[in-house]
Structure formats: structure tokens, C-alpha cells
Amino acid sequence: METILNILNLSKTYQSAGRMLTVLNDINFNITEGSTNAIVGPSGSGKTTLLGLCAGLDRSSSGSVELNGINLGNLTEDQRAQVRNQYVGFIFQNFQLLPTLTALENVMVPLELRNEKNIKARALDLLDKVGLADRGHHYPSQLSGGEQQRVSLARAFSNAPKILFADEPTGNLDAETSEKVVKLIFDLNKEAGTTLVLVTHDLDLAAKTQRIIRIKGGKLISNEKTING
Amino acid sequence: MGIDPVNYKRKINISWLFNMAWRDSRKNRSRLFLFISAIVFGIAALVAIYSFRYNVQNDVNGQAATLIGADLSVSGNKPAEPKLKHTLDSLGDQRSTERSFASMAYFPKTKGTRLVQIRALQGDYPYYGTIETTPESAGTAFKKGQTALVDKTLMLQFGVNVGDSVRVGKELFLIAGTLNKAPGQSGAMAGIAPVVYIPMQYLEQTGLMKIGSRVNYTFYYKYNHKVDMDKLTKKLDPVLDKAGMNYETIEMRKENTGRAFGDLGRFLSLVGFIALLLGCVGVASAIHIYVREKIASIAIMRCLGVKASEAFLIYLIQIVGIGLIGSVVGAALGTAIQHLLPIVFKDFLPFTISVEISWLAIWQGILLGVIISILFALLPLISVRNISPLNTLRISFDEAGSKRDPMRWLVYLLIIGFVLGFTYLQLDSWLGSLFFTLGILIAFMILAAVAWLLMRVMKLIINNGWSYLWRQGFANLYRPNNQTLILMVSIGLSTAFICTLFFIQSILIAQVNLSNSGNQSNMILFDIQKSQKDAVADVTRKQGLPVLQQVPIVTVRLEQINGKTAADLVKDTTIKIPHGVFAYEYRVTFRDTLSASEKLLDGTWIGKAEAGKDIPVSVEANLQKRAHLKVGDKLVFNVQGVPMPAYVASIRKVNWGKVQTNFQVVFPTGVLEDAPQFQVLLTHVPSNKVSAKFQQAVVKQFPNISIIDLGLVLSILDELLSKISYVIRFMSAFSIITGIVVLIASVRISKYQRIQESVLLRTLGASRKQIFAITALEYLFLGSLSALTGILIAVAGTWFLAKYSFEIPYAVSFIPAFVLFLIITILTVIIGLLNSRGVLNKPPLEILRTNA
Ligand SMILES: Nc1ncnc2c1ncn2[C@@H]1O[C@H](COP(=O)(O)OP(=O)(O)O)[C@@H](O)[C@H]1O
Ligand SMILES: [Mg+2]
């Protein structure tokens, strides 16, 4: 199996109020292509920071992040944007849909950026997969949280990413809706063969993945296969 | 799976950018329209003024011939000598001559009398255009008999009609027609010096052509074939120069008139530009907040792979689009307003103004609007490039990061360069533009500094001892997302601009509003011959009027200063004496004491000249400064052809504010007593009735004496000034409207920031009244502090303008400033409260949903 994400001696420190704050301390792990993974840890342990680094949204203080064989540390912000557009999908805790675009347009954006063809049909197809085919013309403010998150799922899969990062995707949803969204994530993931990296503090959700990476206080404490793995 | 190469060099897809710009603007149109409205009025003002300027330029070019009325005019203030006369008579194919001078006109029907400008005309002048009269035929027919044309305001004033008569000097003339407009004369000029035309052949009989009267001799020429005027005037120039005569061609009149009204246009453009600059502050603040609100969206786009430059372009496209709409609306409005300008200015222009749509002005306005929108939006817009996709995970707009952006400095430089360049285009002077730009920059920095200080101080002094409302209200001034800087700058700058305009206007008006009360002299009799001196004083006293002053006046020229003559000035450019000092004809007096309104500044006053020695003269301080004189400097005066060596014995300061005979140069007694001279007599008339009776009595007995009724002059000046102040008010209205729009825009955009907070407060249980009070306190404080700072800036700016630009005494009235302060403060609070009303009345949830 090939490695799609390779994290080597990764550290991140913030300078805040004149003090150095080490948020991530010498993290190492690999993620194989097509696998499903969870990063778990208590609140404030550095999960979001780690995810941001893995997805190339931020720069590390030391160590390297290699995504699909590309060392993100060597790229400019614009080049990383291209990498994100071509390889990476995102799902956020608070959905992060563009408020001035309709659901359909939100799904279309990554495709449009890649100058693809049949954009509208493909976006509609994706909306259909998340069960929102008839809500395409609605703006995010007209959708419920669960619906918004489903639109964001459709958007995340629209550019057929190699790897999907999800930061507490069910954090803002009620239990019932969460279940639906989680099912969708795993179904779509399976269908597309995408690698999944899921950040959560929900151990039940984590248990559905093949591998669990635990961090605490910015340190990696374990990296184990689950029964699914 | 293998590793696919990443395509880093994705091309920018322009049509997609436009598409995104359109989509992204969808829910924010109302906010963007605020941005539009800020520049609409500035552009409207400029387009109106440009159109007006271009039309005036066309009209001047089209009407220059009728303004001068001939192909060439030559004029001087003495009769031509025989040799010159010969040359003058050889010019042109058709010739006319005119003599003009000030004299009293007397209307026997109503016994009215007034100082007028008499023009004695011979020949078929004007060759272009007409002397506009009612009836029309009178304009040429009056030259055939002993008839006259009388200015229409004069006819109205004295209640006379065509067919009545007017006495000029010793002769009675039948009024053949009403003079509506003399060639080249504007309405305002006609009010000050109304014209009476008489035929030249009756001039002698009036008895007004005595030696010493100040007469202007003009010769008009018409060429029936095409003549190279440049060549002709080049030949003529030295001859006429030597004889002290001037000439003018149609081309010269075009240039002169164009230049004069170019100045007016420049002034107007600057006022318009100020309105536009105010709008720019609005643009910058609107976009600043707009971008802040867009951080989340931009971060998402960046996450999805949009490049920094693409994100920047998406918003730039919005700005250009909206700027274009604003400019087009402004240009349309300006073209409409243009129709008002000729009405406003018609009294000041000697020609009819046409109103035509000027596409050049419209294009310039639109271009300017777009450039300005981009330029001022750029400052907040460049930070779009620095918004990290990390904001999707954790909102932390790092403003410090964007401040370090070197592009910021480039934008600052561009803005300053633009303001400087544009001002230069208007003013044609780098120094003036530099001061203008610097002034605005300093005002801007002061306001920013005050805002910064305010935030610091508030942070320091607020403590838990304060009541909740006060703490909350004042804390709003410095907490994150505060409006302090933007509101301070926009309200402060608007106030400063408006207040400065107001101050300058009132100073200019006060300047001319000489007091006409008390026992000060308000009537001047001049051209009194030496022999008439005592008789005139007698008549005055017999009418029961005081003889306040009786002064001899001698006209002299200054020929040398320390051995340097006018000719030396031409040769040696290092001499710092202005030409005017030599060209000027000084009216001097002689006496042995200083008058009450004079104060000695330097040297010693010498009241009596010693025979055979240089004459000790006293020089007025302004002339001393202009001519760079000091006590002891040698002067040579030319007194009616006789050179008189003199020296500066003293320097006097004169209080020009009072109506008195004041002199730039005073001679001692014992020198000029026998020189050709006339007398001036000052008196005070208590009422118009007494004035009329006295003038009749004087004119009847001494037709050569001219009388200036200052009361009349003042009332005419008053009328003129109220017209000028109307023009100024009309122009400043643009700035005021823009200022209010910017104020509304600034406060309104802050609404979107306050909503979240107010909703939160309400959710936490704050009552509507409490939120109301918090908002009111915040805006009251911001409004009053920025208005106050703005007014202080205006006070300083006015002082600077008064001293260096207008060179008039500085005085500001604080009551209107205080009223302005109240208005701006109250307006800020009202607009602030009106905006938050939406938050107060709706249930919190609804607001959270619609503004998500
Ligand atoms: N920009 C920053 N400056 C300073 N500290 C930060 C910054 N971002 C995050 N942190 C700190 O890093 C730690 C980890 O944060 P985060 O990655 O969000 O944790 P998690 O997602 O596991 O809850 C927290 O203690 C947080 O306060
Ligand atoms: Mg987190």
C-alpha cells in the first residue's frame, strides 16, 4: 500500500504574548492511500492545528508534511492552494459554505476552478447523492445545519480528492443528523476510494475508522489499528 | 497509484472571476450601494464643473470677437501725439474712437444723480456683435443726434424712461435707448460702473475734457480682409509701448478671458475635488469593513484552491463594477446639475453661456470615478491577498500581518501621488498642490492620532467603578471590530472641509463689509479743482454736512529705487522689485503731520521739506514690503514730467479699514503745493435723501466733480457678495451632501458589525433600553470628538489659508462652528440609533439567521 500522507518530526509553536507555546511536539505518522483514519484527543490537544498542517493550510515550525509525495513545506501559499484544489477535500465543524452562493454553486466552485466540463450536471449529481437535489437553488442560510453539512460533503467530493480532511464534522449537529452525515461520509468515501482523515473527540465515531491516532498535549501517544483495520 | 504532477500554473480564468464577483456581491448589494453613493456627488460636482468649463471655453472662443467688438483695439490714458496719431489713423479699414471717463450723470426728471462711466463714441463700433439696447435700433441711431444710451439699472434706479433726458457735464442729452449690455461687460460690472453712451461730437460741449481729468482713449479697428495680426502687433508693440498704450486683439481677448475663467473653473474644480475626496474616505471605510466581513468567504475560497491573486481580483472586479455604476450615475447627475451653473454664474460672465452635454467631461468624470474607487478601495483590498485559509479552522484575522505588507506603502504612495497630480492639474502650481495635499495628509494624520489616543485612553481609564452602560458604551470604542478610526477620520474630515469652506466664506464677506455707520465718512467728492476747493467746502457746510477731510492729491510715478529703473528690472532678473511698483500711478498727498489712522513703524516723520535737498517721504508698510524698501533708500519720483529726488524717511502703518483718504506715499509740505493737483473732500451724509439733495447741489454748480456715494457702493457690493456667497454655498453643498452620505455610510456599515454583539447582549438579557443607551453613548462620544477635532483642524486650516492664500486678516466666528458641531454630533447619534433600531425591534434569532 502506498503512503499518501507522511508526517515527519512535525512541530508547531506559537508566539503568543511574548511566550513560546508549543502546540505540536515532534509528531510522526504515515497514512496509507485509501485508508480511513481518526485523530482523537481532548480539546486543546492540537488536533485542529495538526489537521491544518496536514492539509497545507498552515506552515510547520519544524519537520515536514509530505502529501502525495509533495513536500508542502517547499511550496508557496499559492502552490499549496493548487495542491488543495487538486488533491484535497475539506469538511468543517461549522460547514463553511460560501453564504452568497447557492448550494449548487457551492458544489460547483472546486470544479470551476479546475476548468472542468459538465460542471452543473456533475454538481447536481453530487447533490443528489447527498439527498439535496431539489435544494440546489437555496442559499446556506435557508438550509438546516445537517443540510449545510451535506452540501459541504458534496462540495468536498466534487473534485474527486485523493484525501479528505474532516474537522469535527458532527460537532455542530444533533445526534440523529450526525448519524446521517457520518453514514454519508463513509459511504461516499468508500465509493470514491478516498483517504479519510477525521478529527474528532467522539470515540464512537473514531471507532468506525481503520486507524486511530491519539494526541495529548501536542504529543502523539498512540497510533493503532482498530478492528476495522 | 503513481504520483500525478500538480498543475501549478493554472491560468486565471477571467470569466470565472467575473462570475464569482457577481455571485459574491449578491447578498451585499445594499452595502456596495452605500459605497456608490459616497462617490456619486463628488463625481456629479466634477462633471458639472468640467462641462461648465468646456462650455465656457467654447463660448469664449465663439464670442471673443463680440467681446472686443473689433479686430484690434488700442487704448491709453492720454491723447495720442501727432506722430502716433498718424500711425493710428493708418491702421484698419474701418475705425472708431471712444473716450471714457467717470463723471456724474444727472436726470432732471427725477433730479437723480450718480457717478457713471461716460463713453463718447464715434464710428461704427462695434463691428462684431452689437450694443444691446431697447429699442434695438437705438444702438446705432443714438450717434446721429444729441442723444444718449443709459444703462438699464440706472434707468430703473432713477425712474427715467426712453425719451427723458440726462445731463452730462453742461449738456443735456435725450435718452434714445436703454443700454442692456455694453460689449464685453458683465452684469456685475454694470452694477458698479453703469455706462452712459454719448456721441463723440458732443463731448467737447460737455466741458468735461479738462486737463487733469482721467480719460481713457480707445481706438477700434476693423479689417475687411484677412490680416496677420501677430505680425502687425509685433510691429506695433514697441511704438505703443513707448507711448504707454495697450492693444488687444481677438486672439488676446480669447486668451485673457479664458485665463480669467480658467481660474474660476480651477477654484470650482478644487471644491468639487474636495467633495470627491470626502467620498473617497467613504469608499475606503466601506471597503475596509466589507473586506472584514468577507474574511470567512475568502478563507473558504482559499481552502478550495483559489489563489491569493484570484481572490484579490474577484473583489477588485466588484469594486470596478460598482465604481463604474457610481461614476455613471454621478456623471448623469452632474450633466443635469450643469444646467444650474449658468444661472448661478451669469452675473459674473460677460457673455452668454451655452449648456451642452460635454462628452469629454462625462468621460473624464467616469474615468476619475473608477480610478478613485480603485485607488481608495485598494488599501483595504490588498489585505485580501493575506487572508489565510487557516481562518476556516480558526478566525484570527491578523491585521498586524497586513500592515507589514509593503504593498500598503505603494498604495499610500499612489494615493498621495494621485491627489498631488490631480490638484496640480487644477491649480497649475506645484507649491499650491503640495500645500493642498500636505494639508489633507496632516488632517488625516491628526484624526488618526486622536482616534488612536482615544482608544488608548479609554482602555486605561475604564474600570469597574463605572456603571455598566458607560463601561459598555465606551468599551465599544476600543474593542475588536471597533469603528473608532474610520468614523473619526470620515466624520472629522467632512467636518473639517465643510467648516473650512464656511469660515473662509464668512471671512471673505466680512472683509468687504465695511462699516457704514457712525460719523464715519461715507461720501467722497473728487476731481475738485484747486480753484473750486473753498467753494465746494462752502456748499457742503451750507447743506449742513461736515467737511471731514479735504486733501490735495497729486499723481506721480516712481522712476528709480536706489538708482534702479524699470529698464534695469528687465535686464537684471536678480532685482527683487515687482514691475508693478514702477508701472503704478501713485496718488500721493502732502501734509505736515501724521493722521489719526497712521502709525509710525520705522524712521522719523519729517513734515517739512528743506529746499535744495532730497525730499523726505513716508512710505506705507505694504508698499515698503512689496518694493523691498528700507529707511534711507533713495527714490526718484516723476511728478507730471518733473523728476524729484527723494528718500524714505519713515515707514507708516495705515488702518485701511476706515473710509478715509489713505496714501501709499506721503510727501512733506513745501514741495508739491504748485504741482497740478486736485482735491478730495470727505463728508458724512445721514440718509439717502440728504445724499441725493447734496449730490444735485454739487453737480449743478460743479459739473466736473465726481461723487462716490459709499452707501450705494456698499449696497451694490453687498448684493454682489451675496451672489458670490450663493455660488460658494452652491458648491459646498456638494461637499456637505457627500459628507452626510459618508457619515450615513460609515455608521450604517458599522451596523453590520454591531448586530452580532447587540443580539448577543439581548440574548444575555440586556433590555432594549440598555442597548439603546449603549449605542447612543458610543456615537455621542465619537460624533462629538470627531466633529470637535474636525473644527479645530478647520480653524488651523482657515488661519493658514487666510494668511498665505488670501492674505486677509484672520477671524473665525465660533457660533456657527458650534452650531455645526451640534448638528454633526446629533446627526451621528441619530443615524447611529436609526441603524440599530433594526436590531432592537427584531427577535434575535431572525437577525442571526439573515446575517449569517
Ligand atoms: N494562533 C494561535 N496562537 C496561539 N495559540 C494558539 C493559536 N492557535 C491555537 N492555539 C493553541 O493551540 C492549542 C491547540 O489548539 P487546537 O489545535 O485548536 O486544539 P484542538 O483542535 O485539539 O481542540 C490550544 O491550546 C490553542 O489555544
Ligand atoms: Mg479543534
Side-chain angles (χ1 to χ4, degrees):
Chain A
M1 289 279 247
E2 297 219 19
T3 298
I4 184 152
L5 184 67
N6 183 10
I7 305 297
L8 203 65
N9 305 329
L10 189 69
S11 294
K12 178 77 185 175
T13 49
Y14 283 111
Q15 187 129 17
S16 109
R19 275 184 335 131
M20 299 289 277
L21 183 70
T22 302
V23 177
L24 290 177
N25 192 354
D26 198 27
I27 307 272
N28 288 284
F29 64 85
N30 286 327
I31 282 179
T32 41
E33 194 162 354
S35 64
T36 56
N37 311 266
I39 300 175
V40 297
S43 176
S45 55
K47 305 182 296 290
T48 298
T49 310
L50 179 59
L51 189 84
L53 287 171
C54 291
L57 298 180
D58 201 2
R59 278 177 185 279
S60 64
S61 304
S62 68
S64 69
V65 175
E66 215 172 79
L67 186 74
N68 202 30
I70 304 159
N71 189 339
L72 296 181
N74 296 337
L75 303 184
T76 66
E77 173 47 49
D78 270 345
Q79 288 172 328
R80 278 187 270 139
Q82 310 285 312
V83 172
R84 285 196 294 274
N85 180 238
Q86 288 168 53
Y87 296 148
V88 181
F90 287 99
I91 301 173
F92 303 95
Q93 179 171 0
N94 47 2
F95 327 132
Q96 301 287 21
L97 295 176
L98 291 164
T100 57
L101 269 60
T102 61
L104 181 64
E105 286 167 346
N106 262 290
V107 180
M108 284 160 66
V109 168
L111 295 169
E112 290 170 336
L113 268 173
R114 286 151 57 120
N115 263 328
E116 306 242 340
K117 293 196 176 68
N118 293 329
I119 292 172
K120 196 160 182 185
R122 285 169 63 183
L124 273 171
D125 191 39
L126 279 161
L127 274 181
D128 192 32
K129 277 187 183 155
V130 298
L132 291 172
D134 53 340
R135 306 295 298 272
H137 59 285
H138 283 162
Y139 287 98
S141 60
Q142 296 165 314
L143 299 172
S144 73
E147 287 163 346
Q148 288 189 45
Q149 193 62 302
R150 273 145 68 194
V151 173
S152 115
L153 258 175
R155 182 179 68 186
F157 280 101
S158 68
N159 61 339
K162 278 189 182 299
I163 187 163
L164 181 70
F165 291 102
D167 188 12
E168 316 251 12
T170 58
N172 279 3
L173 302 175
D174 60 81
E176 206 175 317
T177 321
S178 288
E179 218 166 288
K180 262 196 234 165
V181 168
V182 167
K183 188 172 177 317
L184 260 175
I185 294 178
F186 280 93
D187 286 354
L188 286 170
N189 192 61
K190 201 171 204 172
E191 188 188 319
T194 309
T195 314
L196 179 68
V197 180
L198 190 82
V199 163
T200 182
H201 57 252
D202 179 352
L203 293 178
D204 288 343
L205 174 57
K208 292 186 177 156
T209 61
Q210 294 163 333
R211 179 178 287 272
I212 296 182
I213 298 162
R214 287 171 201 280
I215 59 170
K216 194 175 176 183
K219 287 205 178 92
L220 189 130
I221 48 173
S222 74
N223 178 355
E224 292 163 343
K225 279 186 181 169
T226 63
I227 42 169
N228 307 320
Chain B
M1 254 206 235
I3 296 170
D4 320 305
V6 182
N7 175 15
Y8 292 129
K9 293 217 178 80
R10 175 161 57 79
K11 272 217 208 94
I12 288 181
N13 181 343
I14 302 290
S15 69
W16 181 76
L17 291 180
F18 271 91
N19 196 353
M20 270 312 270
W22 173 254
R23 288 169 177 171
D24 183 85
S25 73
R26 257 189 315 228
K27 289 211 155 179
N28 309 94
R29 302 260 160 83
S30 67
R31 250 164 285 187
L32 288 170
F33 272 106
L34 282 179
F35 157 42
I36 286 191
S37 54
I39 59 166
V40 162
F41 291 95
I43 294 295
L46 279 177
V47 169
I49 291 160
Y50 283 170
S51 304
F52 177 64
R53 272 171 81 170
Y54 291 134
N55 282 331
V56 164
Q57 217 160 37
N58 277 338
D59 293 339
V60 166
N61 287 342
Q63 298 175 41
T66 66
L67 290 184
I68 159 166
D71 288 313
L72 172 71
S73 82
V74 174
S75 64
N77 57 11
K78 47 185 183 272
E81 303 188 354
K83 212 177 119 209
L84 184 64
K85 183 104 182 41
H86 187 75
T87 316
L88 289 178
D89 286 346
S90 69
L91 295 171
D93 298 317
Q94 292 180 59
R95 287 170 277 278
S96 293
T97 55
E98 184 188 276
R99 288 185 204 175
S100 64
F101 52 91
S103 176
M104 302 303 285
Y106 174 75
F107 300 95
K109 181 185 169 196
T110 53
K111 299 209 170 93
T113 178
R114 182 174 163 188
L115 188 68
V116 299
Q117 194 193 12
I118 304 287
R119 292 191 187 175
L121 188 62
Q122 171 266 310
D124 292 333
Y125 174 84
Y127 301 108
Y128 302 102
T130 52
I131 300 180
E132 288 174 32
T133 55
T134 322
E136 226 172 284
S137 57
T140 48
F142 83 96
K143 279 174 279 195
K144 296 200 185 92
Q146 191 161 346
T147 52
L149 301 175
V150 178
D151 182 273
K152 71 167 180 239
T153 54
L154 209 57
M155 305 259 290
L156 273 175
Q157 187 191 348
F158 294 109
V160 288
N161 300 312
V162 173
D164 293 336
S165 55
V166 56
R167 206 183 82 196
V168 176
K170 291 185 213 146
E171 286 298 312
L172 216 55
F173 292 84
L174 194 71
I175 301 176
T178 309
L179 176 63
N180 296 323
K181 194 162 151 291
Q185 201 185 30
S186 71
M189 263 161 68
I192 290 171
V195 171
V196 172
Y197 270 105
I198 58 168
M200 181 76 88
Q201 62 266 33
Y202 297 101
L203 179 61
E204 267 318 309
Q205 302 170 27
T206 63
L208 294 172
M209 289 285 98
K210 288 204 188 117
I211 298 187
S213 356
R214 291 166 64 84
V215 180
N216 208 45
Y217 298 78
T218 311
F219 304 86
Y220 297 104
Y221 301 100
K222 160 100 167 63
Y223 287 87
N224 292 337
H225 55 276
K226 227 177 149 44
V227 172
D228 185 346
M229 275 294 162
D230 270 351
K231 229 168 94 189
L232 178 74
T233 50
K234 215 169 247 160
K235 227 172 57 198
L236 222 51
D237 189 81
V239 184
L240 293 176
D241 201 41
K242 223 171 94 195
M245 297 188 91
N246 300 313
Y247 63 91
E248 193 176 30
T249 61
I250 293 173
E251 211 47 51
M252 286 164 74
R253 172 61 70 102
K254 245 182 230 177
E255 267 168 43
N256 292 339
T257 317
R259 202 174 309 130
F261 294 103
D263 285 344
L264 174 74
R266 267 190 272 281
F267 169 73
L268 293 179
S269 308
L270 264 197
V271 176
F273 187 50
I274 285 178
L276 193 58
L277 276 181
L278 269 186
C280 293
V281 175
V283 169
S285 60
I287 300 302
H288 179 77
I289 288 162
Y290 186 66
V291 167
R292 269 201 204 171
E293 285 171 10
K294 286 290 178 187
I295 290 173
S297 288
I298 295 164
I300 297 169
M301 285 193 240
R302 301 282 282 129
C303 246
L304 299 179
V306 174
K307 286 194 242 175
S309 53
E310 289 171 327
F312 174 76
L313 283 174
I314 286 173
Y315 290 95
L316 188 66
I317 289 169
Q318 287 186 2
I319 304 295
V320 172
I322 220 83
L324 196 65
I325 296 174
S327 309
V328 170
V329 173
L333 189 64
T335 304
I337 289 170
Q338 187 216 146
H339 291 259
L340 295 177
L341 289 177
I343 302 172
V344 174
F345 289 107
K346 69 168 189 284
D347 281 339
F348 302 100
L349 303 179
F351 44 83
T352 46
I353 314 156
S354 51
V355 181
E356 265 164 52
I357 291 181
S358 161
W359 288 104
L360 184 60
I362 290 174
W363 285 123
Q364 279 180 325
I366 292 176
L367 188 70
L368 193 65
V370 172
I371 289 178
I372 247 179
S373 328
I374 294 175
L375 214 51
F376 282 80
L378 221 46
L379 209 51
L381 213 54
I382 50 172
S383 59
V384 165
R385 293 158 42 256
N386 302 318
I387 291 173
S388 159
L390 209 56
N391 281 296
T392 46
L393 296 175
R394 191 180 289 120
I395 284 283
S396 64
F397 185 43
D398 189 8
E399 276 193 273
S402 60
K403 279 207 180 95
R404 264 180 263 117
D405 192 339
M407 280 292 274
R408 267 188 110 72
W409 294 106
L410 186 70
V411 176
Y412 281 131
L413 222 64
L414 275 176
I415 289 178
I416 292 176
F418 171 79
V419 173
L420 192 67
F422 186 85
T423 320
Y424 175 70
L425 283 181
Q426 309 305 323
L427 288 181
D428 233 350
S429 135
W430 280 117
L431 198 68
S433 325
L434 206 67
F435 275 121
F436 184 83
T437 311
L438 216 63
I440 287 175
L441 201 67
I442 289 171
F444 189 91
M445 292 203 295
I446 290 174
L447 285 163
V450 170
W452 183 84
L453 257 176
L454 174 68
M455 290 193 260
R456 284 290 137 122
V457 168
M458 279 300 157
K459 222 172 194 163
L460 280 180
I461 63 166
I462 287 186
N463 61 53
N464 289 335
W466 296 28
S467 86
Y468 171 73
L469 289 184
W470 284 82
R471 238 187 314 148
Q472 194 71 26
F474 284 123
N476 275 350
L477 294 172
Y478 64 79
R479 281 183 313 178
N481 283 342
N482 66 68
Q483 291 291 294
T484 308
L485 182 69
I486 281 165
L487 284 183
M488 272 299 284
V489 169
S490 50
I491 300 176
L493 272 188
S494 320
T495 313
F497 282 141
I498 294 166
C499 199
T500 307
L501 267 178
F502 196 82
F503 279 157
I504 290 290
Q505 183 188 341
S506 52
I507 285 183
L508 284 177
I509 288 170
Q511 184 63 15
V512 204
N513 239 334
L514 298 166
S515 97
N516 185 29
S517 59
N519 204 24
Q520 276 195 24
S521 30
N522 60 3
M523 182 164 280
I524 305 174
L525 281 63
F526 58 96
D527 283 345
I528 305 172
Q529 304 294 318
K530 219 170 156 185
S531 56
Q532 299 170 322
K533 181 182 161 192
D534 297 325
V536 172
D538 266 359
V539 170
T540 308
R541 289 200 190 91
K542 248 184 227 148
Q543 296 274 332
L545 298 174
V547 175
L548 294 173
Q549 249 185 337
Q550 219 174 350
V551 192
I553 290 179
V554 180
T555 53
V556 306
R557 276 179 201 277
L558 187 53
E559 218 137 72
Q560 294 182 17
I561 298 179
N562 292 328
K564 300 271 190 287
T565 62
D568 292 328
L569 285 194
V570 182
K571 274 182 261 159
D572 185 354
T573 51
T574 61
I575 304 174
K576 279 218 191 73
I577 304 166
H579 272 274
V581 170
F582 290 117
Y584 193 77
E585 193 170 70
Y586 297 87
R587 301 179 136 208
V588 307
T589 192
F590 52 90
R591 48 180 142 87
D592 56 3
T593 47
L594 278 176
S595 81
S597 61
E598 293 170 323
K599 217 174 88 191
L600 213 56
L601 291 184
D602 199 5
T604 44
W605 170 259
I606 300 173
K608 203 162 163 49
E610 282 179 57
K613 287 197 177 164
D614 284 0
I615 306 155
V617 297
S618 179
V619 173
E620 193 270 330
N622 285 330
L623 174 65
Q624 174 252 327
K625 239 180 261 160
R626 211 149 33 89
H628 301 278
L629 293 174
K630 53 186 188 304
V631 172
D633 278 353
K634 300 256 179 256
L635 310 172
V636 174
F637 287 98
N638 176 334
V639 183
Q640 318 270 317
V642 184
M644 289 200 170
Y647 68 96
V648 180
S650 65
I651 298 186
R652 287 165 306 131
K653 192 180 159 69
V654 172
N655 178 5
W656 294 97
K658 282 194 184 146
V659 179
Q660 279 184 339
T661 48
N662 293 314
F663 298 91
Q664 293 192 309
V665 180
V666 175
F667 276 66
T669 53
V671 194
L672 296 178
E673 277 77 354
D674 294 327
Q677 59 186 263
F678 64 89
Q679 298 272 328
V680 167
L681 185 147
L682 268 62
T683 182
H684 175 90
V685 291
S687 67
N688 284 342
K689 216 165 148 191
V690 177
S691 161
K693 215 173 124 221
F694 177 54
Q695 288 191 52
Q696 284 166 30
V698 173
V699 170
K700 207 170 216 166
Q701 213 173 326
F702 315 102
N704 65 303
I705 294 177
S706 296
I707 304 170
I708 295 181
D709 183 349
L710 278 177
L712 185 67
V713 171
L714 281 178
S715 71
I716 291 168
L717 271 181
D718 218 38
E719 199 181 314
L720 200 65
L721 275 170
S722 69
K723 274 177 190 160
I724 292 176
S725 78
Y726 172 68
V727 172
I728 296 179
R729 254 177 308 179
F730 183 84
M731 290 313 301
S732 38
F734 287 98
S735 303
I736 293 170
I737 293 174
T738 305
I740 291 173
V741 169
V742 170
L743 178 65
I744 293 175
S746 312
V747 176
R748 263 201 89 84
I749 35 193
S750 70
K751 164 186 174 177
Y752 300 101
Q753 304 219 315
R754 286 277 171 266
I755 278 175
Q756 301 283 340
E757 222 177 82
S758 300
V759 168
L760 208 66
L761 278 175
R762 278 190 70 190
T763 329
L764 293 177
S767 74
R768 283 173 46 175
K769 244 193 207 140
Q770 279 172 317
I771 295 179
F772 196 79
I774 291 170
T775 315
L777 265 177
E778 182 191 353
Y779 286 118
L780 176 70
F781 201 71
L782 265 184
S784 56
L785 192 68
S786 36
L788 183 69
T789 315
I791 288 172
L792 291 180
I793 290 172
V795 168
T798 309
W799 179 83
F800 194 83
L801 284 176
K803 190 164 165 75
Y804 295 104
S805 191
F806 294 97
E807 295 183 3
I808 48 179
Y810 164 79
V812 295
S813 40
F814 281 96
I815 289 173
F818 183 69
V819 171
L820 186 71
F821 169 80
L822 283 185
I823 290 176
I824 298 227
T825 308
I826 292 169
L827 211 62
T828 311
V829 175
I830 288 176
I831 294 170
L833 287 179
L834 279 182
N835 280 327
S836 50
R837 207 188 39 182
V839 184
L840 296 175
N841 294 341
K842 280 185 202 157
L845 189 68
E846 192 183 321
I847 295 162
L848 280 184
R849 259 183 184 286
T850 51
N851 286 280

